[in-house]
PDB file of all heavy atoms in Angstrom:
ATOM      1  N   ASP A   1      30.041   2.343 -14.427  1.00 96.00           N
ATOM      2  CA  ASP A   1      30.819   1.688 -13.382  1.00 96.00           C
ATOM      3  C   ASP A   1      31.494   2.686 -12.439  1.00 96.00           C
ATOM      4  O   ASP A   1      31.915   2.309 -11.339  1.00 96.00           O
ATOM      5  CB  ASP A   1      31.885   0.782 -14.002  1.00 96.00           C
ATOM      6  CG  ASP A   1      31.287  -0.441 -14.681  1.00 96.00           C
ATOM      7  OD1 ASP A   1      30.109  -0.753 -14.391  1.00 96.00           O
ATOM      8  OD2 ASP A   1      31.976  -1.067 -15.506  1.00 96.00           O
ATOM      9  N   ARG A   2      31.602   3.934 -12.848  1.00 97.00           N
ATOM     10  CA  ARG A   2      32.233   4.945 -12.014  1.00 97.00           C
ATOM     11  C   ARG A   2      31.257   5.572 -11.026  1.00 97.00           C
ATOM     12  O   ARG A   2      31.674   6.240 -10.082  1.00 97.00           O
ATOM     13  CB  ARG A   2      32.848   6.049 -12.885  1.00 97.00           C
ATOM     14  CG  ARG A   2      33.916   5.558 -13.840  1.00 97.00           C
ATOM     15  CD  ARG A   2      34.534   6.704 -14.621  1.00 97.00           C
ATOM     16  NE  ARG A   2      35.289   7.607 -13.754  1.00 97.00           N
ATOM     17  CZ  ARG A   2      35.961   8.665 -14.193  1.00 97.00           C
ATOM     18  NH1 ARG A   2      35.953   8.970 -15.489  1.00 97.00           N
ATOM     19  NH2 ARG A   2      36.632   9.424 -13.350  1.00 97.00           N
ATOM     20  N   ILE A   3      29.963   5.382 -11.252  1.00 98.00           N
ATOM     21  CA  ILE A   3      28.958   6.007 -10.394  1.00 98.00           C
ATOM     22  C   ILE A   3      28.795   5.211  -9.106  1.00 98.00           C
ATOM     23  O   ILE A   3      28.510   4.010  -9.143  1.00 98.00           O
ATOM     24  CB  ILE A   3      27.604   6.113 -11.124  1.00 98.00           C
ATOM     25  CG1 ILE A   3      27.769   6.901 -12.432  1.00 98.00           C
ATOM     26  CG2 ILE A   3      26.566   6.782 -10.230  1.00 98.00           C
ATOM     27  CD1 ILE A   3      26.513   6.919 -13.289  1.00 98.00           C
ATOM     28  N   GLN A   4      28.966   5.869  -7.985  1.00 97.00           N
ATOM     29  CA  GLN A   4      28.842   5.219  -6.686  1.00 97.00           C
ATOM     30  C   GLN A   4      27.519   5.531  -5.990  1.00 97.00           C
ATOM     31  O   GLN A   4      27.013   4.724  -5.209  1.00 97.00           O
ATOM     32  CB  GLN A   4      30.005   5.652  -5.773  1.00 97.00           C
ATOM     33  CG  GLN A   4      31.377   5.294  -6.323  1.00 97.00           C
ATOM     34  CD  GLN A   4      31.558   3.802  -6.496  1.00 97.00           C
ATOM     35  OE1 GLN A   4      31.231   3.016  -5.603  1.00 97.00           O
ATOM     36  NE2 GLN A   4      32.064   3.401  -7.661  1.00 97.00           N
ATOM     37  N   VAL A   5      26.977   6.718  -6.259  1.00 98.00           N
ATOM     38  CA  VAL A   5      25.799   7.187  -5.525  1.00 98.00           C
ATOM     39  C   VAL A   5      24.674   7.542  -6.485  1.00 98.00           C
ATOM     40  O   VAL A   5      24.889   8.276  -7.460  1.00 98.00           O
ATOM     41  CB  VAL A   5      26.137   8.428  -4.673  1.00 98.00           C
ATOM     42  CG1 VAL A   5      24.879   8.958  -3.960  1.00 98.00           C
ATOM     43  CG2 VAL A   5      27.217   8.093  -3.649  1.00 98.00           C
ATOM     44  N   LEU A   6      23.486   7.010  -6.230  1.00 98.00           N
ATOM     45  CA  LEU A   6      22.282   7.499  -6.890  1.00 98.00           C
ATOM     46  C   LEU A   6      21.798   8.672  -6.043  1.00 98.00           C
ATOM     47  O   LEU A   6      21.357   8.473  -4.914  1.00 98.00           O
ATOM     48  CB  LEU A   6      21.212   6.417  -6.954  1.00 98.00           C
ATOM     49  CG  LEU A   6      19.875   6.884  -7.543  1.00 98.00           C
ATOM     50  CD1 LEU A   6      19.980   7.021  -9.067  1.00 98.00           C
ATOM     51  CD2 LEU A   6      18.746   5.939  -7.165  1.00 98.00           C
ATOM     52  N   PRO A   7      21.875   9.913  -6.540  1.00 98.00           N
ATOM     53  CA  PRO A   7      21.612  11.066  -5.684  1.00 98.00           C
ATOM     54  C   PRO A   7      20.140  11.466  -5.633  1.00 98.00           C
ATOM     55  O   PRO A   7      19.345  11.129  -6.520  1.00 98.00           O
ATOM     56  CB  PRO A   7      22.419  12.168  -6.373  1.00 98.00           C
ATOM     57  CG  PRO A   7      22.295  11.816  -7.824  1.00 98.00           C
ATOM     58  CD  PRO A   7      22.336  10.292  -7.871  1.00 98.00           C
ATOM     59  N   ASN A   8      19.815  12.194  -4.594  1.00 97.00           N
ATOM     60  CA  ASN A   8      18.585  12.977  -4.590  1.00 97.00           C
ATOM     61  C   ASN A   8      18.908  14.232  -5.405  1.00 97.00           C
ATOM     62  O   ASN A   8      19.874  14.928  -5.116  1.00 97.00           O
ATOM     63  CB  ASN A   8      18.193  13.352  -3.155  1.00 97.00           C
ATOM     64  CG  ASN A   8      16.918  14.173  -3.093  1.00 97.00           C
ATOM     65  OD1 ASN A   8      16.813  15.219  -3.731  1.00 97.00           O
ATOM     66  ND2 ASN A   8      15.966  13.721  -2.312  1.00 97.00           N
ATOM     67  N   THR A   9      18.117  14.511  -6.436  1.00 96.00           N
ATOM     68  CA  THR A   9      18.481  15.585  -7.368  1.00 96.00           C
ATOM     69  C   THR A   9      17.859  16.941  -7.025  1.00 96.00           C
ATOM     70  O   THR A   9      17.969  17.882  -7.812  1.00 96.00           O
ATOM     71  CB  THR A   9      18.076  15.200  -8.804  1.00 96.00           C
ATOM     72  OG1 THR A   9      16.670  14.903  -8.847  1.00 96.00           O
ATOM     73  CG2 THR A   9      18.879  14.011  -9.295  1.00 96.00           C
ATOM     74  N   ALA A  10      17.234  17.050  -5.862  1.00 95.00           N
ATOM     75  CA  ALA A  10      16.563  18.311  -5.517  1.00 95.00           C
ATOM     76  C   ALA A  10      17.535  19.488  -5.495  1.00 95.00           C
ATOM     77  O   ALA A  10      17.226  20.574  -5.994  1.00 95.00           O
ATOM     78  CB  ALA A  10      15.855  18.177  -4.164  1.00 95.00           C
ATOM     79  N   LYS A  11      18.717  19.306  -4.915  1.00 95.00           N
ATOM     80  CA  LYS A  11      19.686  20.403  -4.870  1.00 95.00           C
ATOM     81  C   LYS A  11      20.152  20.795  -6.264  1.00 95.00           C
ATOM     82  O   LYS A  11      20.326  21.980  -6.570  1.00 95.00           O
ATOM     83  CB  LYS A  11      20.893  20.013  -4.018  1.00 95.00           C
ATOM     84  CG  LYS A  11      20.628  19.935  -2.526  1.00 95.00           C
ATOM     85  CD  LYS A  11      21.903  19.591  -1.777  1.00 95.00           C
ATOM     86  CE  LYS A  11      21.653  19.517  -0.277  1.00 95.00           C
ATOM     87  NZ  LYS A  11      22.895  19.164   0.470  1.00 95.00           N
ATOM     88  N   ALA A  12      20.368  19.810  -7.100  1.00 95.00           N
ATOM     89  CA  ALA A  12      20.816  20.093  -8.468  1.00 95.00           C
ATOM     90  C   ALA A  12      19.758  20.875  -9.228  1.00 95.00           C
ATOM     91  O   ALA A  12      20.065  21.833  -9.946  1.00 95.00           O
ATOM     92  CB  ALA A  12      21.151  18.786  -9.184  1.00 95.00           C
ATOM     93  N   HIS A  13      18.498  20.494  -9.075  1.00 94.00           N
ATOM     94  CA  HIS A  13      17.430  21.212  -9.756  1.00 94.00           C
ATOM     95  C   HIS A  13      17.263  22.617  -9.182  1.00 94.00           C
ATOM     96  O   HIS A  13      17.022  23.579  -9.924  1.00 94.00           O
ATOM     97  CB  HIS A  13      16.122  20.441  -9.651  1.00 94.00           C
ATOM     98  CG  HIS A  13      16.044  19.266 -10.572  1.00 94.00           C
ATOM     99  ND1 HIS A  13      16.122  19.389 -11.940  1.00 94.00           N
ATOM    100  CD2 HIS A  13      15.902  17.940 -10.318  1.00 94.00           C
ATOM    101  CE1 HIS A  13      16.010  18.193 -12.498  1.00 94.00           C
ATOM    102  NE2 HIS A  13      15.890  17.299 -11.535  1.00 94.00           N
ATOM    103  N   ALA A  14      17.394  22.743  -7.856  1.00 93.00           N
ATOM    104  CA  ALA A  14      17.280  24.068  -7.243  1.00 93.00           C
ATOM    105  C   ALA A  14      18.369  24.996  -7.761  1.00 93.00           C
ATOM    106  O   ALA A  14      18.126  26.175  -8.044  1.00 93.00           O
ATOM    107  CB  ALA A  14      17.360  23.954  -5.716  1.00 93.00           C
ATOM    108  N   LEU A  15      19.578  24.474  -7.889  1.00 92.00           N
ATOM    109  CA  LEU A  15      20.680  25.262  -8.427  1.00 92.00           C
ATOM    110  C   LEU A  15      20.405  25.656  -9.868  1.00 92.00           C
ATOM    111  O   LEU A  15      20.580  26.822 -10.253  1.00 92.00           O
ATOM    112  CB  LEU A  15      21.976  24.460  -8.345  1.00 92.00           C
ATOM    113  CG  LEU A  15      23.193  25.061  -9.062  1.00 92.00           C
ATOM    114  CD1 LEU A  15      23.563  26.412  -8.463  1.00 92.00           C
ATOM    115  CD2 LEU A  15      24.373  24.096  -8.986  1.00 92.00           C
ATOM    116  N   MET A  16      19.985  24.712 -10.660  1.00 90.00           N
ATOM    117  CA  MET A  16      19.724  24.992 -12.065  1.00 90.00           C
ATOM    118  C   MET A  16      18.676  26.087 -12.231  1.00 90.00           C
ATOM    119  O   MET A  16      18.808  26.981 -13.068  1.00 90.00           O
ATOM    120  CB  MET A  16      19.285  23.697 -12.754  1.00 90.00           C
ATOM    121  CG  MET A  16      19.073  23.792 -14.254  1.00 90.00           C
ATOM    122  SD  MET A  16      17.420  24.371 -14.723  1.00 90.00           S
ATOM    123  CE  MET A  16      16.390  23.095 -13.989  1.00 90.00           C
ATOM    124  N   GLU A  17      17.661  26.051 -11.399  1.00 86.00           N
ATOM    125  CA  GLU A  17      16.579  27.014 -11.530  1.00 86.00           C
ATOM    126  C   GLU A  17      16.945  28.398 -11.003  1.00 86.00           C
ATOM    127  O   GLU A  17      16.259  29.377 -11.313  1.00 86.00           O
ATOM    128  CB  GLU A  17      15.322  26.459 -10.853  1.00 86.00           C
ATOM    129  CG  GLU A  17      14.748  25.277 -11.637  1.00 86.00           C
ATOM    130  CD  GLU A  17      13.771  24.438 -10.849  1.00 86.00           C
ATOM    131  OE1 GLU A  17      13.440  24.822  -9.709  1.00 86.00           O
ATOM    132  OE2 GLU A  17      13.332  23.406 -11.378  1.00 86.00           O
ATOM    133  N   ARG A  18      18.001  28.479 -10.224  1.00 87.00           N
ATOM    134  CA  ARG A  18      18.490  29.778  -9.761  1.00 87.00           C
ATOM    135  C   ARG A  18      19.460  30.399 -10.755  1.00 87.00           C
ATOM    136  O   ARG A  18      19.807  31.575 -10.644  1.00 87.00           O
ATOM    137  CB  ARG A  18      19.191  29.610  -8.410  1.00 87.00           C
ATOM    138  CG  ARG A  18      18.261  29.236  -7.269  1.00 87.00           C
ATOM    139  CD  ARG A  18      19.052  28.922  -6.006  1.00 87.00           C
ATOM    140  NE  ARG A  18      19.828  30.062  -5.549  1.00 87.00           N
ATOM    141  CZ  ARG A  18      20.752  29.990  -4.589  1.00 87.00           C
ATOM    142  NH1 ARG A  18      21.029  28.826  -4.042  1.00 87.00           N
ATOM    143  NH2 ARG A  18      21.398  31.055  -4.200  1.00 87.00           N
ATOM    144  N   ALA A  19      19.917  29.631 -11.707  1.00 88.00           N
ATOM    145  CA  ALA A  19      20.911  30.106 -12.664  1.00 88.00           C
ATOM    146  C   ALA A  19      20.302  31.070 -13.660  1.00 88.00           C
ATOM    147  O   ALA A  19      19.109  31.005 -13.976  1.00 88.00           O
ATOM    148  CB  ALA A  19      21.535  28.921 -13.401  1.00 88.00           C
ATOM    149  N   ASP A  20      21.141  31.954 -14.162  1.00 85.00           N
ATOM    150  CA  ASP A  20      20.743  32.838 -15.244  1.00 85.00           C
ATOM    151  C   ASP A  20      20.308  31.985 -16.430  1.00 85.00           C
ATOM    152  O   ASP A  20      20.991  31.011 -16.785  1.00 85.00           O
ATOM    153  CB  ASP A  20      21.929  33.725 -15.634  1.00 85.00           C
ATOM    154  CG  ASP A  20      21.560  34.739 -16.701  1.00 85.00           C
ATOM    155  OD1 ASP A  20      21.325  34.323 -17.851  1.00 85.00           O
ATOM    156  OD2 ASP A  20      21.517  35.934 -16.387  1.00 85.00           O
ATOM    157  N   PRO A  21      19.169  32.313 -17.068  1.00 81.00           N
ATOM    158  CA  PRO A  21      18.688  31.500 -18.192  1.00 81.00           C
ATOM    159  C   PRO A  21      19.736  31.291 -19.278  1.00 81.00           C
ATOM    160  O   PRO A  21      19.771  30.237 -19.925  1.00 81.00           O
ATOM    161  CB  PRO A  21      17.493  32.303 -18.719  1.00 81.00           C
ATOM    162  CG  PRO A  21      16.990  33.043 -17.511  1.00 81.00           C
ATOM    163  CD  PRO A  21      18.225  33.393 -16.730  1.00 81.00           C
ATOM    164  N   ALA A  22      20.608  32.273 -19.468  1.00 83.00           N
ATOM    165  CA  ALA A  22      21.630  32.147 -20.511  1.00 83.00           C
ATOM    166  C   ALA A  22      22.650  31.062 -20.192  1.00 83.00           C
ATOM    167  O   ALA A  22      23.332  30.571 -21.095  1.00 83.00           O
ATOM    168  CB  ALA A  22      22.344  33.485 -20.698  1.00 83.00           C
ATOM    169  N   ARG A  23      22.765  30.682 -18.913  1.00 87.00           N
ATOM    170  CA  ARG A  23      23.746  29.672 -18.513  1.00 87.00           C
ATOM    171  C   ARG A  23      23.116  28.333 -18.164  1.00 87.00           C
ATOM    172  O   ARG A  23      23.820  27.389 -17.836  1.00 87.00           O
ATOM    173  CB  ARG A  23      24.568  30.180 -17.322  1.00 87.00           C
ATOM    174  CG  ARG A  23      25.514  31.323 -17.660  1.00 87.00           C
ATOM    175  CD  ARG A  23      26.400  31.662 -16.468  1.00 87.00           C
ATOM    176  NE  ARG A  23      27.449  32.589 -16.835  1.00 87.00           N
ATOM    177  CZ  ARG A  23      27.334  33.907 -16.818  1.00 87.00           C
ATOM    178  NH1 ARG A  23      26.184  34.457 -16.460  1.00 87.00           N
ATOM    179  NH2 ARG A  23      28.330  34.694 -17.171  1.00 87.00           N
ATOM    180  N   GLN A  24      21.802  28.259 -18.225  1.00 90.00           N
ATOM    181  CA  GLN A  24      21.135  27.034 -17.805  1.00 90.00           C
ATOM    182  C   GLN A  24      21.542  25.828 -18.645  1.00 90.00           C
ATOM    183  O   GLN A  24      21.825  24.758 -18.099  1.00 90.00           O
ATOM    184  CB  GLN A  24      19.616  27.208 -17.840  1.00 90.00           C
ATOM    185  CG  GLN A  24      19.036  27.842 -16.605  1.00 90.00           C
ATOM    186  CD  GLN A  24      17.539  27.679 -16.522  1.00 90.00           C
ATOM    187  OE1 GLN A  24      16.875  27.316 -17.494  1.00 90.00           O
ATOM    188  NE2 GLN A  24      16.985  27.950 -15.355  1.00 90.00           N
ATOM    189  N   ALA A  25      21.556  25.986 -19.959  1.00 91.00           N
ATOM    190  CA  ALA A  25      21.872  24.842 -20.820  1.00 91.00           C
ATOM    191  C   ALA A  25      23.277  24.325 -20.542  1.00 91.00           C
ATOM    192  O   ALA A  25      23.502  23.104 -20.488  1.00 91.00           O
ATOM    193  CB  ALA A  25      21.732  25.234 -22.287  1.00 91.00           C
ATOM    194  N   LYS A  26      24.219  25.246 -20.341  1.00 93.00           N
ATOM    195  CA  LYS A  26      25.595  24.838 -20.047  1.00 93.00           C
ATOM    196  C   LYS A  26      25.673  24.126 -18.708  1.00 93.00           C
ATOM    197  O   LYS A  26      26.362  23.105 -18.566  1.00 93.00           O
ATOM    198  CB  LYS A  26      26.508  26.058 -20.039  1.00 93.00           C
ATOM    199  CG  LYS A  26      27.980  25.727 -19.804  1.00 93.00           C
ATOM    200  CD  LYS A  26      28.842  26.983 -19.887  1.00 93.00           C
ATOM    201  CE  LYS A  26      30.321  26.640 -19.687  1.00 93.00           C
ATOM    202  NZ  LYS A  26      31.176  27.859 -19.765  1.00 93.00           N
ATOM    203  N   LEU A  27      24.944  24.631 -17.713  1.00 95.00           N
ATOM    204  CA  LEU A  27      24.954  24.014 -16.386  1.00 95.00           C
ATOM    205  C   LEU A  27      24.301  22.642 -16.419  1.00 95.00           C
ATOM    206  O   LEU A  27      24.812  21.688 -15.826  1.00 95.00           O
ATOM    207  CB  LEU A  27      24.236  24.924 -15.389  1.00 95.00           C
ATOM    208  CG  LEU A  27      24.162  24.405 -13.945  1.00 95.00           C
ATOM    209  CD1 LEU A  27      25.558  24.224 -13.350  1.00 95.00           C
ATOM    210  CD2 LEU A  27      23.326  25.346 -13.077  1.00 95.00           C
ATOM    211  N   VAL A  28      23.168  22.530 -17.113  1.00 96.00           N
ATOM    212  CA  VAL A  28      22.485  21.240 -17.230  1.00 96.00           C
ATOM    213  C   VAL A  28      23.432  20.212 -17.836  1.00 96.00           C
ATOM    214  O   VAL A  28      23.565  19.088 -17.328  1.00 96.00           O
ATOM    215  CB  VAL A  28      21.207  21.384 -18.080  1.00 96.00           C
ATOM    216  CG1 VAL A  28      20.674  20.006 -18.487  1.00 96.00           C
ATOM    217  CG2 VAL A  28      20.138  22.140 -17.316  1.00 96.00           C
ATOM    218  N   ASP A  29      24.100  20.586 -18.919  1.00 96.00           N
ATOM    219  CA  ASP A  29      25.018  19.660 -19.583  1.00 96.00           C
ATOM    220  C   ASP A  29      26.181  19.296 -18.668  1.00 96.00           C
ATOM    221  O   ASP A  29      26.613  18.135 -18.618  1.00 96.00           O
ATOM    222  CB  ASP A  29      25.542  20.290 -20.870  1.00 96.00           C
ATOM    223  CG  ASP A  29      26.163  19.258 -21.794  1.00 96.00           C
ATOM    224  OD1 ASP A  29      25.432  18.632 -22.589  1.00 96.00           O
ATOM    225  OD2 ASP A  29      27.396  19.069 -21.716  1.00 96.00           O
ATOM    226  N   ARG A  30      26.686  20.285 -17.911  1.00 97.00           N
ATOM    227  CA  ARG A  30      27.840  20.014 -17.033  1.00 97.00           C
ATOM    228  C   ARG A  30      27.470  19.060 -15.906  1.00 97.00           C
ATOM    229  O   ARG A  30      28.256  18.171 -15.545  1.00 97.00           O
ATOM    230  CB  ARG A  30      28.384  21.330 -16.458  1.00 97.00           C
ATOM    231  CG  ARG A  30      29.641  21.129 -15.614  1.00 97.00           C
ATOM    232  CD  ARG A  30      30.802  20.674 -16.474  1.00 97.00           C
ATOM    233  NE  ARG A  30      31.966  20.279 -15.686  1.00 97.00           N
ATOM    234  CZ  ARG A  30      32.261  19.038 -15.357  1.00 97.00           C
ATOM    235  NH1 ARG A  30      31.454  18.026 -15.717  1.00 97.00           N
ATOM    236  NH2 ARG A  30      33.350  18.765 -14.660  1.00 97.00           N
ATOM    237  N   ILE A  31      26.290  19.224 -15.341  1.00 98.00           N
ATOM    238  CA  ILE A  31      25.868  18.324 -14.270  1.00 98.00           C
ATOM    239  C   ILE A  31      25.654  16.916 -14.818  1.00 98.00           C
ATOM    240  O   ILE A  31      26.059  15.918 -14.197  1.00 98.00           O
ATOM    241  CB  ILE A  31      24.599  18.852 -13.572  1.00 98.00           C
ATOM    242  CG1 ILE A  31      24.905  20.176 -12.849  1.00 98.00           C
ATOM    243  CG2 ILE A  31      24.070  17.823 -12.559  1.00 98.00           C
ATOM    244  CD1 ILE A  31      23.683  20.835 -12.237  1.00 98.00           C
ATOM    245  N   PHE A  32      25.041  16.823 -15.984  1.00 98.00           N
ATOM    246  CA  PHE A  32      24.867  15.521 -16.629  1.00 98.00           C
ATOM    247  C   PHE A  32      26.212  14.822 -16.832  1.00 98.00           C
ATOM    248  O   PHE A  32      26.370  13.637 -16.515  1.00 98.00           O
ATOM    249  CB  PHE A  32      24.186  15.684 -17.985  1.00 98.00           C
ATOM    250  CG  PHE A  32      22.690  15.573 -17.957  1.00 98.00           C
ATOM    251  CD1 PHE A  32      21.902  16.498 -18.633  1.00 98.00           C
ATOM    252  CD2 PHE A  32      22.060  14.540 -17.288  1.00 98.00           C
ATOM    253  CE1 PHE A  32      20.522  16.394 -18.637  1.00 98.00           C
ATOM    254  CE2 PHE A  32      20.670  14.421 -17.277  1.00 98.00           C
ATOM    255  CZ  PHE A  32      19.916  15.359 -17.961  1.00 98.00           C
ATOM    256  N   THR A  33      27.176  15.521 -17.415  1.00 97.00           N
ATOM    257  CA  THR A  33      28.452  14.883 -17.717  1.00 97.00           C
ATOM    258  C   THR A  33      29.220  14.543 -16.441  1.00 97.00           C
ATOM    259  O   THR A  33      29.912  13.513 -16.395  1.00 97.00           O
ATOM    260  CB  THR A  33      29.314  15.767 -18.629  1.00 97.00           C
ATOM    261  OG1 THR A  33      29.525  17.050 -18.016  1.00 97.00           O
ATOM    262  CG2 THR A  33      28.651  15.971 -19.975  1.00 97.00           C
ATOM    263  N   ALA A  34      29.097  15.387 -15.422  1.00 98.00           N
ATOM    264  CA  ALA A  34      29.760  15.085 -14.158  1.00 98.00           C
ATOM    265  C   ALA A  34      29.225  13.784 -13.571  1.00 98.00           C
ATOM    266  O   ALA A  34      29.988  12.973 -13.022  1.00 98.00           O
ATOM    267  CB  ALA A  34      29.554  16.236 -13.167  1.00 98.00           C
ATOM    268  N   TYR A  35      27.939  13.565 -13.705  1.00 98.00           N
ATOM    269  CA  TYR A  35      27.323  12.368 -13.143  1.00 98.00           C
ATOM    270  C   TYR A  35      27.581  11.127 -13.998  1.00 98.00           C
ATOM    271  O   TYR A  35      28.140  10.122 -13.523  1.00 98.00           O
ATOM    272  CB  TYR A  35      25.817  12.599 -12.991  1.00 98.00           C
ATOM    273  CG  TYR A  35      25.064  11.431 -12.394  1.00 98.00           C
ATOM    274  CD1 TYR A  35      25.402  10.925 -11.144  1.00 98.00           C
ATOM    275  CD2 TYR A  35      24.005  10.840 -13.067  1.00 98.00           C
ATOM    276  CE1 TYR A  35      24.720   9.855 -10.587  1.00 98.00           C
ATOM    277  CE2 TYR A  35      23.303   9.780 -12.522  1.00 98.00           C
ATOM    278  CZ  TYR A  35      23.670   9.283 -11.288  1.00 98.00           C
ATOM    279  OH  TYR A  35      22.981   8.220 -10.745  1.00 98.00           O
ATOM    280  N   PHE A  36      27.220  11.196 -15.267  1.00 98.00           N
ATOM    281  CA  PHE A  36      27.236  10.006 -16.109  1.00 98.00           C
ATOM    282  C   PHE A  36      28.597   9.687 -16.720  1.00 98.00           C
ATOM    283  O   PHE A  36      28.850   8.543 -17.086  1.00 98.00           O
ATOM    284  CB  PHE A  36      26.201  10.135 -17.225  1.00 98.00           C
ATOM    285  CG  PHE A  36      24.793   9.869 -16.777  1.00 98.00           C
ATOM    286  CD1 PHE A  36      23.847  10.869 -16.817  1.00 98.00           C
ATOM    287  CD2 PHE A  36      24.414   8.627 -16.308  1.00 98.00           C
ATOM    288  CE1 PHE A  36      22.540  10.629 -16.407  1.00 98.00           C
ATOM    289  CE2 PHE A  36      23.124   8.368 -15.886  1.00 98.00           C
ATOM    290  CZ  PHE A  36      22.177   9.376 -15.937  1.00 98.00           C
ATOM    291  N   LEU A  37      29.471  10.681 -16.851  1.00 98.00           N
ATOM    292  CA  LEU A  37      30.763  10.424 -17.463  1.00 98.00           C
ATOM    293  C   LEU A  37      31.901  10.408 -16.451  1.00 98.00           C
ATOM    294  O   LEU A  37      32.903   9.732 -16.654  1.00 98.00           O
ATOM    295  CB  LEU A  37      31.076  11.464 -18.549  1.00 98.00           C
ATOM    296  CG  LEU A  37      30.430  11.240 -19.922  1.00 98.00           C
ATOM    297  CD1 LEU A  37      28.911  11.329 -19.847  1.00 98.00           C
ATOM    298  CD2 LEU A  37      30.961  12.241 -20.935  1.00 98.00           C
ATOM    299  N   GLU A  38      31.723  11.146 -15.335  1.00 98.00           N
ATOM    300  CA  GLU A  38      32.791  11.260 -14.341  1.00 98.00           C
ATOM    301  C   GLU A  38      32.462  10.571 -13.025  1.00 98.00           C
ATOM    302  O   GLU A  38      33.332  10.423 -12.169  1.00 98.00           O
ATOM    303  CB  GLU A  38      33.100  12.733 -14.088  1.00 98.00           C
ATOM    304  CG  GLU A  38      33.510  13.499 -15.343  1.00 98.00           C
ATOM    305  CD  GLU A  38      33.512  15.001 -15.138  1.00 98.00           C
ATOM    306  OE1 GLU A  38      33.444  15.453 -13.979  1.00 98.00           O
ATOM    307  OE2 GLU A  38      33.576  15.733 -16.146  1.00 98.00           O
ATOM    308  N   GLY A  39      31.214  10.164 -12.848  1.00 98.00           N
ATOM    309  CA  GLY A  39      30.821   9.468 -11.623  1.00 98.00           C
ATOM    310  C   GLY A  39      30.741  10.350 -10.400  1.00 98.00           C
ATOM    311  O   GLY A  39      30.828   9.857  -9.265  1.00 98.00           O
ATOM    312  N   LYS A  40      30.530  11.659 -10.566  1.00 98.00           N
ATOM    313  CA  LYS A  40      30.452  12.572  -9.432  1.00 98.00           C
ATOM    314  C   LYS A  40      29.090  12.465  -8.747  1.00 98.00           C
ATOM    315  O   LYS A  40      28.077  12.149  -9.382  1.00 98.00           O
ATOM    316  CB  LYS A  40      30.671  14.017  -9.883  1.00 98.00           C
ATOM    317  CG  LYS A  40      31.972  14.263 -10.623  1.00 98.00           C
ATOM    318  CD  LYS A  40      33.187  13.980  -9.752  1.00 98.00           C
ATOM    319  CE  LYS A  40      34.471  14.328 -10.496  1.00 98.00           C
ATOM    320  NZ  LYS A  40      35.687  13.969  -9.708  1.00 98.00           N
ATOM    321  N   ASP A  41      29.076  12.742  -7.449  1.00 98.00           N
ATOM    322  CA  ASP A  41      27.834  12.751  -6.680  1.00 98.00           C
ATOM    323  C   ASP A  41      27.186  14.125  -6.847  1.00 98.00           C
ATOM    324  O   ASP A  41      27.528  15.080  -6.155  1.00 98.00           O
ATOM    325  CB  ASP A  41      28.116  12.469  -5.203  1.00 98.00           C
ATOM    326  CG  ASP A  41      26.851  12.490  -4.348  1.00 98.00           C
ATOM    327  OD1 ASP A  41      25.744  12.654  -4.911  1.00 98.00           O
ATOM    328  OD2 ASP A  41      26.976  12.376  -3.110  1.00 98.00           O
TER     329      ASP A  41
END
């Protein structure tokens, strides 16, 4: 109910793929939680 926007995820994927491999899992989880738990765009 907090989610207002269904986003185009191209920017999120581009960011994830530019990240250091050691931080990818943390970034993936953070983007997921920002979207599904916090309703962020």
Side-chain angles (χ1 to χ4, degrees):
D1 290 343
R2 300 183 66 178
I3 303 174
Q4 300 299 314
V5 177
L6 176 75
N8 180 305
T9 56
K11 289 182 180 179
H13 284 299
L15 171 62
M16 184 275 300
E17 290 163 6
R18 292 173 61 190
D20 184 290
R23 291 186 170 88
Q24 276 195 346
K26 183 177 181 180
L27 180 61
V28 166
D29 197 86
R30 184 67 189 97
I31 295 175
F32 268 134
T33 57
Y35 181 58
F36 282 116
L37 279 64
E38 302 167 13
K40 304 298 184 184
D41 179 4

